[in-house]
Each structure stands twice: as structure tokens, then as C-alpha cells.
Amino acid sequence: MLTIICETPGVLRAETRSRPPRDRGEVLLRVRRVGVCGTDLHIFTGNQPFLAYPRVMGHELSGTVEEADTDSGLDAGDPVYVMPYLSCGQCIACRNGKTNCCVNIQVLGVHRDGALTEYLSLPRQFVHKAEGITLDQAAMIEFLAIGAHAVRRADVQAGQRVLVVGAGPIGMAAMIFSRLRGATVTALDTRLDRLNFCAEKIEVAATVQIGDTDVDELAKLTDGEFFDVVFDATGNPAAMERGFEFIAHGGKYVLISVVRDKITFSDPEFHKREATLIGSRNATAEDFETVLRAMRAGQVPDAALNTHRMKLADVPAEFSKLLEPSAGVVKAIVEC
């Protein structure tokens, strides 16, 4: 089977591997679609903090069942999506239902080889039927679930003012699910093309481009009170630190981003606001179900989000082009 390996930062290589064996309790999948995530781009550029090379990237995937146990509830040919956070089920996080931050977590494409290949064999509990949606949609559930999880962590309420800093796919997911909860959403980013996309396709209430007047613009939008909930989805330490300035008194700050660096903030300002600082990692089955319901109801602009496509065999030659801002990539999907 064709497999694409990231040998070292910036180096992708195609290799032929044997089809993986399927053990009892596992499902052998024929991979059909793989979404390219910011994590994959960070792996390619050498900026992913939890990874050792070489690695087969890819954790946003859909496929069809090739083989499964007769009592699995799955049949050959069934379309499926995968929860790529392989949790242990026994640690303190798992016992408390927080499988997204399992102590022993193995994320496909990060801690173990992922989906840029033709076949994968995975434990049954992480493979779910993709009923009522397309394979393209199924491959986009994961990144949308990360946004849905962050919104749930923040307990966003109707009528609240929400600021999302970073208008990449994860930030857009947080915008989508904040809007679905009835919040008034503002997007903040450096890129005007991304902000225009958010205004047109996601229908956020306002957009602000980062620059000399951004604080004044954000203050004007909120009568000087700033935001009930601020999400950071930038992956930039300086931006993460600056985001503390935008929290309303009594508000919440949710860090979806993960970076290698330490971040700092002003303790007097933090306490003056009695702000709540929240980390948000991955997603749970509940969040995947939230995305599925929204997709089936036509509430997610998934066709617009999928701006680019490529074939698996073309990944070594074409992947680096996804990093070019001029390409206008929101979500690329690899067809296997």
C-alpha cells in the first residue's frame, strides 16, 4: 500500500508498505479522505512539540470498512469516521470521561503513524459510522470537534460577546459553534482574506484586522467592555499573551493553541477581572456528536471550508504549497 512519510522537517517520501494485519477487536479501514491540519503543517515545518520523526502524518480521516469482527456492528463497505485520540480508558482523565486528555494518549499522526496511507487497523471503539454525511464531511469532523469542545468548555451562552483570535480552521470551528449557541462573534486576525472568508462564509458579526487600531476597534464593538469569552487559536505565544487584554471583567479566556513556549500574563489585571483561564485539548465523543448533528442539519459550511484537494500520490510534491498564504488554503483534503 502507498504510504507517505515525513522523514524529517520538510522532507516527505512515498513508500510501499504491507497492508497492516487486523487483530481481534480492531477494524481494518480503507482510508478514503484525510484532512490536512495545522498540526500536520507544524510537523512538516518542525514545530510540533510532541513528535519524533519519521512519522506518517494525518489524523483527520474518513474511510470504509474493509474487515471487522462479526459482532462489531460494522460491515464491509460501511463509511466511517475515526476519533484519532487513542485513549487508554484507565487513567484519571479517562475515568472522569476526559478521554481527550488521557495520560497515555496516542494521537494518530503524532504519537503513532497516521492516515496518509491506504489502510489502517484501529481499535473498534475509535471507529464510528458516518451515517447521513459524505466522506468529505466525515474527514472534517475532527477539527470542527476541537472548536466545538472549546466552545463547550467555555459554556458559551446566547447573547454573549465572543472574540476568536486566529482565523484558521480551528478558529473558524470555534466561530461556527459559538454562533450556533447564539453568541455575537468577532474574528481577529492578521490576514484580510481570512477575515473576509469568516464574514462571508461563517457570517460572523464583525471582523478586525490586527494592526495599530485593533484595540480601539474591539473596544468600540463592545462599548469598551470587551468580550465575555476570548478564544485563542493562533499557535503564537505573543498573541496568546496579548489575548488577556481582550477579556471582559468576569470573562473567560480559552487557549485552544498549544506551543512549546511558556506564556506569561499580568496577575493584577487577571485578578482585577476575576477572569477564568481554560485549556482546551482535542475533543470527546460528545463533541464529535455535536458536529455530526450540525452537519446533518446543514449548519456547517463544510463545502466552503474545503478549499483544496490533492491525491495521496501527489502529497510529496504538492504539500509544501499548502503553506503559501497566497494559496488561500482553509482546509485541504487528500483523496486516498
Side-chain angles (χ1 to χ4, degrees):
M1 64 179 186
L2 176 64
T3 302
I4 308 300
I5 302 164
C6 188
E7 289 197 315
T8 58
V11 179
L12 294 174
R13 179 174 57 84
E15 178 180 283
T16 300
R17 291 185 173 182
S18 299
R19 185 187 298 193
R22 185 186 71 86
D23 293 331
R24 172 73 183 167
E26 292 189 339
V27 179
L28 180 64
L29 300 181
R30 176 70 168 89
V31 180
R32 298 295 184 182
R33 303 285 190 275
V34 183
V36 178
C37 177
T39 297
D40 302 313
L41 299 176
H42 291 154
I43 291 170
F44 182 72
T45 57
N47 293 316
Q48 219 292 332
F50 304 121
L51 182 123
Y53 297 88
R55 180 62 70 224
V56 177
M57 300 184 296
H59 60 276
E60 302 177 4
L61 71 144
S62 64
T64 49
V65 174
E66 193 77 6
E67 298 174 9
D69 294 340
T70 55
D71 59 354
S72 67
L74 294 172
D75 297 313
D78 282 348
V80 294
Y81 68 89
V82 171
M83 284 193 65
Y85 327 119
L86 308 188
S87 51
C88 72
Q90 299 175 346
C91 71
I92 184 171
C94 289
R95 295 197 307 271
N96 288 315
K98 294 181 67 66
T99 55
N100 57 303
C101 56
C102 168
V103 173
N104 306 302
I105 199 165
Q106 292 283 299
V107 180
L108 288 177
V110 179
H111 304 105
R112 58 183 282 178
D113 283 349
L116 286 181
T117 187
E118 293 183 294
Y119 293 90
L120 277 177
S121 191
L122 298 170
R124 168 65 181 89
Q125 65 264 38
F126 303 109
V127 181
H128 302 269
K129 286 187 178 181
E131 295 177 320
I133 59 172
T134 66
L135 287 170
D136 282 356
Q137 289 176 307
M140 287 191 272
I141 294 175
E142 191 270 345
F143 86 87
L144 291 163
I146 291 175
H149 181 74
V151 169
R152 181 164 65 88
R153 290 275 286 150
D155 192 25
V156 171
Q157 299 293 312
Q160 286 189 320
R161 293 180 291 216
V162 167
L163 175 67
V164 180
V165 189
I170 300 297
M172 291 181 188
M175 296 175 205
I176 290 167
F177 288 96
S178 292
R179 278 194 66 249
L180 289 178
R181 284 185 172 223
T184 300
V185 180
T186 297
L188 177 66
D189 199 274
T190 57
R191 288 177 52 178
L192 186 58
D193 62 326
R194 284 284 179 88
L195 294 173
N196 289 339
F197 184 96
C198 293
E200 180 182 351
K201 303 298 185 183
I202 301 177
E203 300 179 355
V204 297
T207 63
V208 175
Q209 188 172 18
I210 292 173
D212 294 339
T213 63
D214 57 4
V215 174
D216 292 337
E217 293 179 62
L218 294 172
K220 186 177 179 180
L221 287 168
T222 58
D223 298 322
E225 294 179 334
F226 291 95
F227 295 88
D228 301 294
V229 182
V230 179
F231 294 97
D232 177 88
T234 65
N236 181 291
M240 294 165 77
E241 292 182 346
R242 188 172 184 239
F244 284 90
E245 301 174 20
F246 307 138
I247 311 169
H249 281 238
K252 299 173 183 177
Y253 189 24
V254 185
L255 299 181
I256 314 175
S257 298
V258 57
V259 294
R260 290 179 180 272
D261 306 79
K262 293 180 180 179
I263 62 169
T264 61
F265 56 90
S266 166
D267 186 63
E269 290 294 326
F270 185 73
H271 274 79
K272 182 172 71 176
R273 289 166 170 78
E274 197 181 53
T276 301
L277 178 61
I278 300 171
S280 183
R281 185 184 185 192
N282 300 329
T284 67
E286 178 180 348
D287 306 306
F288 277 68
E289 287 293 332
T290 295
V291 175
L292 273 170
R293 288 193 298 272
M295 281 183 163
R296 289 168 180 154
Q299 296 173 321
V300 178
D302 47 85
L305 293 169
N306 174 206
T307 55
H308 291 68
R309 305 178 78 85
M310 67 179 69
K311 301 291 187 183
L312 182 63
D314 296 332
V315 169
E318 300 292 325
F319 192 86
S320 63
K321 296 178 183 178
L322 301 178
L323 293 163
E324 299 170 6
S326 61
V329 178
V330 176
K331 175 58 59 176
I333 289 181
V334 177
E335 297 182 9
C336 303

